[in-house]
């Protein structure tokens, strides 16, 4: 089921990180439809494999919504954390509640109100988005579980880079943009959640299309 006014799409739930990044970008766009002041997500693929004890180690829609709280705080010029980003203050909590996240207990001594959870209303609102993202994450997890310590994954894995190169700006026809590694975009298209068209890197359009 798609939200009203949004054309239905068939989502190729692949095991490749570029497609998972596209699903993350689509989920982010779903949040933006309810909260237009939320800035674009610059590099969805950067969340894949990234762990944050302060914001939630497990990649999920709840984690994505948590990151969206920080995005809105940044757009408003609100300082929502302290202690090098670990402690989430009451300003963070106020925005989190706007987005459908609750923190029913007292703040944690070191992370504050970081451990927020989806309330029932938000879970219902984003149910199609949550289900779609869970399928993509499950496929990605199944694929990466096959990796072993003996697998050689190159310099990107050694240095903790999810992209394996320098990110450049990719744009879509409606004017939105993301930062992406050209080789990642060449593997599979990343679709804009606003206009439904793929992002492209203007200066290397011919190379990507070929």
């Amino acid at each position: 089921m798609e939200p009203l006014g949004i054309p239905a799409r068939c989502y190729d739930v692949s095991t490749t990180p570029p497609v998972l990044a596209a699903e993350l970008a689509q989920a982010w766009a779903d949040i933006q439809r309810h909260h237009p002041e939320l800035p674009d997500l610059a590099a969805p693929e950067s969340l894949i494999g990234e762990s944050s004890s302060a914001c939630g180690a497990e990649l999920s829609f709840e984690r994505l919504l948590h990151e969206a709280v920080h995005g809105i705080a940044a757009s408003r010029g609100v300082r929502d954390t302290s202690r090098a980003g670990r402690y989430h203050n009451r300003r963070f909590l106020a925005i989190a509640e706007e987005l459908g996240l609750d923190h029913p207990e007292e703040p944690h001594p070191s992370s504050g109100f970081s451990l927020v959870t989806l309330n029932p209303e938000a879970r219902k609102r984003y149910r199609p988005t949550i289900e779609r993202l869970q399928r993509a994450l499950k496929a990605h997890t199944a694929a990466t579980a096959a990796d072993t310590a003996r697998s050689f994954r190159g310099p990107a894995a050694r240095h903790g880079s999810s992209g394996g190169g320098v990110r450049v700006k990719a744009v879509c026809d409606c004017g939105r943009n993301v930062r992406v590694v050209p080789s990642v975009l060449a593997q599979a298209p990343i679709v804009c959640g606003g206009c439904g068209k793929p992002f492209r890197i203007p200066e290397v359009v011919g190379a990507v299309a070929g």
Side-chain angles (χ1 to χ4, degrees), residues 8 82 89-90 99 108 147 160 174 195 203 208:
S82 58
N89 58 36
R90 291 189 181 276
L99 270 66
H108 188 276
D147 279 351
C174 69
C195 68
E203 60 270 27
V208 173

Side-chain angles (χ1 to χ4, degrees), residues 55-129:
C55 297
E58 183 181 353
L59 183 55
S60 63
F61 180 76
E62 198 167 74
R63 161 84 184 279
L64 199 64
L65 203 59
H66 179 125
E67 298 290 352
V69 175
H70 290 306
I72 289 180
S75 72
R76 294 178 181 176
V78 172
R79 186 177 180 182
D80 61 341
T81 64
S82 58
R83 304 177 195 173
R86 292 188 301 274
Y87 191 88
H88 293 55
N89 58 36
R90 291 189 181 276
R91 289 185 289 273
F92 168 86
L93 180 59
I95 300 174
E97 289 174 343
E98 290 180 37
L99 270 66
L101 292 166
D102 288 339
H103 190 285
E105 302 174 357
E106 290 298 309
H108 188 276
S110 60
S111 62
F113 296 98
S114 172
L115 301 178
V116 285
T117 57
L118 274 170
N119 66 31
E121 182 181 351
R123 192 173 297 278
K124 181 179 179 180
R125 177 190 309 143
Y126 293 111
R127 184 169 57 188
T129 304

Side-chain angles (χ1 to χ4, degrees), residues 143-154:
T144 55
D147 279 351
T148 68
R150 298 174 62 184
S151 299
F152 178 71
R153 303 186 65 185

